[in-house]
């Protein structure tokens, strides 16, 4: 399953791209700043970085330079600017491809496949993940517990997919809020607690301590360890 590091500061576009990539079987970690994307590089170890050029602070061109100094991970730059000089500048920065917005989900996926073909063998078809009694199909966006299909709200599903991409890692409520599909319109971190409650009701055993979605007092939540 190809792992994609997505760095995009537009909340709506980030959510739409994240959902499209997940539906196609990718494991995706999404961030809204270049600094956050760079910090995630080592722990997430992506197969490819999908990188917006016009980021605040550390922009996509500079981040591409830094990624190149760290290793050979493929980079696709995405920008609203499509002049010849912009494309040349992006490729000279070390990008493997340059994509002009707006681009359809099909074109983005085709470019990802093309870049991954050039840098290595084709990825195997995604397989469902097994986490104890949970089976998560990222391509089909389904979750089963002990063989039973669970009915999760979109926010709870997004939260679970993000947590399971980083098992054992602790995330604050503020960090998790951006992965619940609120498009940046909701800032109350208590929404995370409510979503965690719904998620636990679906995936945890009744009457026991949380096995999957665990609270780390004073910090936030983590998935596992089981």
């Amino acid at each position: 399953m190809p792992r994609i590091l997505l760095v995009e500061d537009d909340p709506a576009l980030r959510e739409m791209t994240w959902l499209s990539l997940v539906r196609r079987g990718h494991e995706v970690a999404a961030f809204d700043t270049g600094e956050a994307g760079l910090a995630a590089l080592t722990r997430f170890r992506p197969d490819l970085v999908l990188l917006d050029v016009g980021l605040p602070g550390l922009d996509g061109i500079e981040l591409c330079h830094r990624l190149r100094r760290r290793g050979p991970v493929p980079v696709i730059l995405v920008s609203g600017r499509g002049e010849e000089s912009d494309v040349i500048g992006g490729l000279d920065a070390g990008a493997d491809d340059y994509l002009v917005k707006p681009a359809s989900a099909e074109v983005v996926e085709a470019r990802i496949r093309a870049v991954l073909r050039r840098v290595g063998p084709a990825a195997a078809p995604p397989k469902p993940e097994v986490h104890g009694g949970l089976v998560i199909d990222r391509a089909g966006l389904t979750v089963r517990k002990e063989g039973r299909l669970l009915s999760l709200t979109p926010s709870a599903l997004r939260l679970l997919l993000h947590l399971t991409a980083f098992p054992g890692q602790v995330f604050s409520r503020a960090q998790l809020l951006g992965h619940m599909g609120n498009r940046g319109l909701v800032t109350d971190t208590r929404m995370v607690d409510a979503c965690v409650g719904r998620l636990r009701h679906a995936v945890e055993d009744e009457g026991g301590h949380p096995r999957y979605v665990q609270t780390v007092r004073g910090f936030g939540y983590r998935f596992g360890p089981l």
Side-chain angles (χ1 to χ4, degrees):
M1 180 184 297
R3 298 160 65 91
I4 308 296
L5 179 64
L6 170 64
V7 188
E8 168 60 63
D9 67 320
D10 183 283
L13 183 56
R14 184 172 63 251
E15 180 189 352
M16 182 175 64
T17 305
W18 176 88
L19 183 59
S20 171
L21 292 172
V22 168
R23 284 187 181 277
R24 285 166 170 78
H26 297 290
E27 184 176 338
V28 184
F31 299 92
D32 60 357
T33 67
E35 291 82 0
L38 187 63
L41 185 68
T42 301
R43 65 175 185 268
F44 185 62
R45 297 186 181 277
D47 298 303
L48 182 141
V49 179
L50 193 60
L51 176 58
D52 180 35
V53 171
L55 297 169
L58 179 60
D59 67 22
I61 297 295
E62 177 58 28
L63 179 54
C64 188
H65 280 297
R66 297 192 187 186
L67 291 173
R68 276 290 164 262
R69 292 196 291 268
R70 289 197 174 200
V73 59
V75 177
I76 297 178
L77 287 175
V78 183
S79 174
R81 298 173 59 90
E83 298 296 326
E84 184 176 274
S85 58
D86 299 312
V87 177
I88 292 173
L91 296 176
D92 283 346
D96 296 271
D97 201 353
Y98 190 101
L99 192 58
V100 179
K101 301 177 185 178
S104 70
E106 290 75 16
V107 168
V108 173
E109 178 64 20
R111 294 292 187 92
I112 289 173
R113 291 198 305 267
V115 169
L116 291 178
R117 280 197 301 270
R118 292 200 296 268
V119 300
K127 297 180 180 179
E129 301 171 15
V130 179
H131 301 275
L134 295 180
V135 177
I136 299 174
D137 181 351
R138 292 181 182 269
L141 295 180
T142 62
V143 180
R144 296 180 181 273
K145 180 183 178 183
E146 309 297 345
R148 177 174 57 88
L149 182 64
L150 301 181
S151 178
L152 300 177
T153 65
S155 293
L157 178 58
R158 290 186 180 101
L159 191 63
L160 180 64
L161 291 174
H162 181 68
L163 288 172
T164 53
F166 302 91
Q169 182 174 331
V170 179
F171 291 92
S172 69
R173 290 167 175 81
Q175 288 174 314
L176 292 174
L177 189 62
H179 292 277
M180 289 168 48
N182 61 74
R183 298 182 182 271
L185 300 178
V186 180
T187 59
D188 189 347
T189 56
R190 290 175 297 182
M191 293 289 293
V192 176
D193 297 326
C195 188
V196 166
R198 292 192 295 270
L199 181 57
R200 282 176 170 166
H201 180 74
V203 304
E204 303 287 1
D205 297 327
E206 293 184 9
H209 296 290
R211 178 186 181 193
Y212 298 107
V213 184
Q214 300 179 354
T215 301
V216 180
R217 190 175 298 277
F219 292 93
Y221 297 101
R222 69 182 174 198
F223 183 84
L226 300 175

